[in-house]
Amino acid sequence: MKKIVVYLPGVKLGYRDLKNADFINQIESNYNVSWVFPNSIPLEFSSKSNITSIKTTPIRNYIWTLLFELSNYSYNRKILKAKQSFPFLGLSVKQIAILKGIYFTKTINLFNKIFEYFLDSTFKKYDSLIDNEVKAIVCFTSTKDLIFDDLVRNSYNTKSKIILVCINWDNATSKPFIKKPDYVFTWGEQTSSLAESLHKIKSIPVGCPRFEHYKNDLEIDLGRYETLNELKENYICILFAGVGFPFPEIEVLNKLAEILEKNKLYSFRIIYRPHPFAWKRVEIQESFYFKKYVIFDPTITLFEKDDLVQYQFLFKVCKGVITAYSTILVEALMNNLPLLLIAFTHDNNFDWQNAARFAPHLDILKHSSDIIKCNDFENLESEFLEIINKISVNNTSYSSLDLSKKIVLQNHLSYFENFKLQLNKLL
């Protein structure tokens, strides 16, 4: 079997998706795999193959963070033509001060060169891991990853091809590449085309393991779950999907509940599904009408945390979806559900309106007049009533599924089979 190195995220959604798609077992059955994890190896990882845990030094992490934020700023300004300010999410006060100082003195290019020179001069070589027999280094991550950059550095002067496999929809387009791989594997033809035009990197669609459960022809029997069945029988439900970045979700839900009461839409209920890794927010009091019309997603307790089948049950109950551009919108399209996308800038941490306007991967949504968009809180009532109207008249005739197929490769092959097919062509 051909020898490859596979770098996996240790936590959160990426590892979960690959594990649930049985990707880890299948790749070990087809290749001689050496696994690489950041910092620590997941406790449940049971592979008997060669496993390496890579740790980066604090000083390199610090310098790399500054370099990435400066590169991201330039990428947004020069490539995306977006006046996106520094988001500063997760940065220390000192780092923010340094970045602002570099920006205001107009020395971004100079410090980019200094920081990159430092990182190029101090990276650790993994000669025992990446030897002459390794055909490919496959990285399941995003470009915002120092270990990925170091693996690219390690690939220089070897015969190994380095491949970035995008974990999330926006990974190939929304961020700069400090170090470029040989190839990028993306969700679908849309992001492959964008990655090639924006970054000049050969990009190939392979699909997404997150949606693998849709290929299993699972019979969705709501009768197995009394709570879900009662919701479907007694109410018209709309899913409100939370997001990771700061967003005034409770404030919006309070308003939506108020609109339902005001318009005497007593048969409607909003199912609220918070994002599992959301940034901490300022607590806002839930209103009286929130408690009347909003229900926290029951599938969170009915299913195991990593059981992605729960989404199929959830979409069986809900007649429409509202979200601030969560990736769950792709599943709404796959299920041909009316969709309301909202983008209100909440504070200085993240400019939602700017992101909705300039993010390359979201551009495909602008050309569908059937997807309702609301970028102003003052217009929320009219846009909310529009999605209710679509639900009430069962107006789901638009080609949402066709749009979803441009975003995510959806063929008869499994995610691993698509991945293997493309990888073998490169080896």
Side-chain angles (χ1 to χ4, degrees):
M1 293 191 290
K2 292 181 179 179
K3 188 175 182 180
I4 63 174
V5 171
V6 178
Y7 170 49
L8 279 186
V11 295
K12 294 190 178 182
L13 304 180
Y15 176 74
R16 175 206 69 179
D17 296 344
L18 293 168
K19 183 182 70 172
N20 285 343
D22 197 35
F23 180 90
I24 294 171
N25 290 329
Q26 292 183 73
I27 197 170
E28 284 198 324
S29 299
N30 287 269
Y31 301 95
N32 178 8
V33 181
S34 293
W35 296 99
V36 175
F37 286 93
N39 299 318
S40 61
I41 300 164
L43 294 175
E44 67 272 25
F45 191 73
S46 58
S47 170
K48 296 180 180 179
S49 299
N50 180 34
I51 305 174
T52 301
S53 175
I54 292 179
K55 296 182 180 181
T56 56
T57 63
I59 184 62
R60 294 191 82 248
N61 268 326
Y62 196 93
I63 295 298
W64 177 85
T65 299
L66 295 175
L67 173 62
F68 183 85
E69 294 299 334
L70 291 174
S71 301
N72 195 36
Y73 181 86
S74 298
Y75 177 68
N76 274 277
R77 285 296 184 100
K78 296 177 181 179
I79 305 300
L80 304 185
K81 308 300 181 185
K83 294 182 179 180
Q84 177 87 357
S85 60
F86 287 115
F88 296 143
L89 287 171
L91 301 183
S92 68
V93 173
K94 189 175 181 180
Q95 285 174 318
I96 293 172
I98 292 171
L99 290 169
K100 286 185 174 180
I102 293 172
Y103 167 67
F104 286 117
T105 56
K106 299 182 179 180
T107 53
I108 291 178
N109 290 338
L110 173 62
F111 278 94
N112 275 346
K113 291 177 181 178
I114 293 172
F115 293 154
E116 190 152 7
Y117 177 80
F118 172 81
L119 293 168
D120 286 343
S121 303
T122 58
F123 78 93
K124 184 177 180 180
K125 294 183 179 180
Y126 303 110
D127 294 335
S128 60
L129 176 68
I130 306 170
D131 57 32
N132 291 330
E133 295 182 6
V134 173
K135 301 299 181 184
I137 306 167
V138 183
C139 303
F140 289 85
T141 184
S142 76
T143 63
K144 192 176 182 179
D145 188 334
L146 172 55
I147 294 176
F148 165 70
D149 287 347
D150 282 348
L151 289 171
V152 175
R153 292 182 177 99
N154 271 272
S155 72
Y156 297 156
N157 302 318
T158 73
K159 296 180 180 179
S160 303
K161 293 181 174 65
I162 186 151
I163 303 163
L164 171 67
V165 186
C166 297
I167 293 292
N168 291 317
W169 181 17
D170 67 331
N171 285 165
T173 61
S174 65
K175 300 177 179 68
F177 281 80
I178 293 175
K179 293 296 180 183
K180 290 187 178 183
D182 297 307
Y183 300 93
V184 175
F185 284 0
T186 70
W187 279 22
E189 64 178 69
Q190 176 226 7
T191 38
S192 283
S193 176
L194 284 172
E196 291 195 355
S197 64
L198 291 170
H199 300 293
K200 314 305 178 189
I201 303 173
K202 176 63 178 176
S203 303
I204 304 166
V206 295
C208 174
R210 192 173 305 172
F211 309 121
E212 195 72 356
H213 53 96
Y214 281 102
K215 299 179 181 180
N216 298 331
D217 296 323
L218 179 70
E219 182 180 351
I220 308 301
D221 181 12
L222 292 179
R224 294 162 51 194
Y225 301 99
E226 184 177 349
T227 304
L228 292 175
N229 197 46
E230 287 181 356
L231 283 173
K232 184 175 177 62
E233 292 295 325
N234 298 319
Y235 301 106
I236 304 170
C237 295
I238 300 173
L239 174 65
F240 186 100
V243 290
F245 284 132
F247 189 80
E249 292 175 3
I250 302 301
E251 183 180 347
V252 172
L253 285 165
N254 283 343
K255 181 65 175 178
L256 295 177
E258 179 187 311
I259 294 168
L260 291 177
E261 179 70 18
K262 173 184 174 183
N263 290 275
K264 300 181 180 180
L265 297 166
Y266 305 129
S267 61
F268 281 81
R269 290 294 182 273
I270 299 170
I271 296 179
Y272 175 37
R273 184 178 182 87
H275 193 282
F277 301 106
W279 285 78
K280 187 176 180 180
R281 294 128 192 231
V282 176
E283 294 294 332
I284 298 175
Q285 187 69 34
E286 297 168 1
S287 70
F288 172 81
Y289 293 124
F290 178 104
K291 295 172 183 177
K292 179 178 178 179
Y293 289 101
V294 179
I295 301 165
F296 281 89
D297 179 12
T299 66
I300 294 175
T301 55
L302 291 174
F303 292 81
E304 294 294 326
K305 183 177 180 181
D306 291 339
D307 187 353
L308 299 183
V309 171
Q310 63 186 279
Y311 292 99
Q312 286 180 269
F313 281 84
L314 189 56
F315 283 116
K316 193 76 171 179
V317 173
C318 295
K319 301 296 185 182
V321 175
I322 302 171
T323 182
Y325 291 87
S326 163
T327 305
I328 209 167
L329 74 86
V330 179
E331 287 192 73
L333 295 173
M334 293 171 69
N335 285 274
N336 211 35
L337 293 176
L339 183 60
L340 170 58
L341 302 177
I342 51 180
F344 312 135
T345 298
H346 176 48
D347 53 32
N348 293 328
N349 285 312
F350 191 76
D351 191 332
W352 282 97
Q353 291 168 322
N354 228 7
R357 181 180 176 188
F358 291 107
H361 70 294
L362 299 180
D363 192 63
I364 193 172
L365 305 174
K366 298 175 184 176
H367 308 300
S368 174
S369 58
D370 294 299
I371 297 175
I372 307 163
K373 306 169 193 72
C374 183
N375 296 329
D376 189 333
F377 190 82
E378 297 301 318
N379 297 332
L380 184 58
E381 180 167 359
S382 61
E383 308 296 3
F384 184 40
L385 292 176
E386 185 175 346
I387 192 174
I388 285 178
N389 180 62
K390 284 182 177 292
I391 292 169
S392 300
V393 299
N394 197 26
N395 185 3
T396 56
S397 60
Y398 54 89
S399 55
S400 296
L401 185 58
D402 290 340
L403 189 60
S404 74
K405 288 179 179 178
K406 294 179 181 178
I407 297 170
V408 182
L409 177 65
Q410 299 173 51
N411 57 18
H412 66 284
L413 299 177
S414 70
Y415 175 74
F416 175 75
E417 289 169 336
N418 281 312
F419 170 88
K420 177 184 174 183
L421 177 66
Q422 299 302 331
L423 179 61
N424 286 347
K425 291 178 181 179
L426 305 178
L427 300 183

